[in-house]
Structure formats: structure tokens, C-alpha cells
Amino acid sequence: MANVNTNLAASSILAGRVASFCHQSLQSIAQWNDARITRKALSRLSARELEDIGLTFGDINAVAARK
């Protein structure tokens, strides 16, 4: 009976780790996509429009990388 409890506990721990890995992976993908959308939107602006909001083309990657 103790072996069954040990296997259940190990399975439970493994399931938790897999769930955590999946959650972190999805979160990373969502953050990457948000940065991609931001870079794309800012890249469409002219130099004058970027200047109006206090940015330059060189700032786009840094802004997109912020969390």
C-alpha cells in the first residue's frame, strides 16, 4: 500500500511540474507575441510620429522588450 501512495505522490509532483512548464511556456509565447505586435506597430510610424511620442527608430526594440 505504501508503494501505491509513493507512486501517486510522484505522479502528482510530475503533473505539477509539467503544468508549470506548460504555463511558463505559454506565458513566454504571449510575451514574445506582445513584443512583436509592439515592434510592428511602432515600425509603421514615421520618424516625426515617433519623435512626437519621444522615441526614435533605435528605441523600438527596447520599448518592445519592456514587460
Side-chain angles (χ1 to χ4, degrees):
M1 192 66 166
N3 192 20
V4 171
N5 288 338
T6 302
N7 287 340
L8 288 175
S11 294
S12 195
I13 290 170
L14 179 61
R17 288 182 179 172
V18 169
S20 177
F21 173 78
C22 290
H23 175 74
Q24 290 174 351
S25 295
L26 290 174
Q27 190 173 22
S28 293
I29 291 168
Q31 288 174 347
W32 169 82
N33 193 50
D34 289 346
R36 181 188 65 83
I37 290 168
T38 300
R39 276 191 303 275
K40 188 175 181 180
L42 290 174
S43 294
R44 289 179 174 161
L45 298 178
S46 68
R48 175 70 181 148
E49 291 169 324
L50 286 170
E51 184 181 335
D52 285 346
I53 59 174
L55 298 174
T56 65
F57 283 109
D59 297 328
I60 291 174
N61 284 332
V63 170
R66 293 181 191 163
K67 291 184 179 180

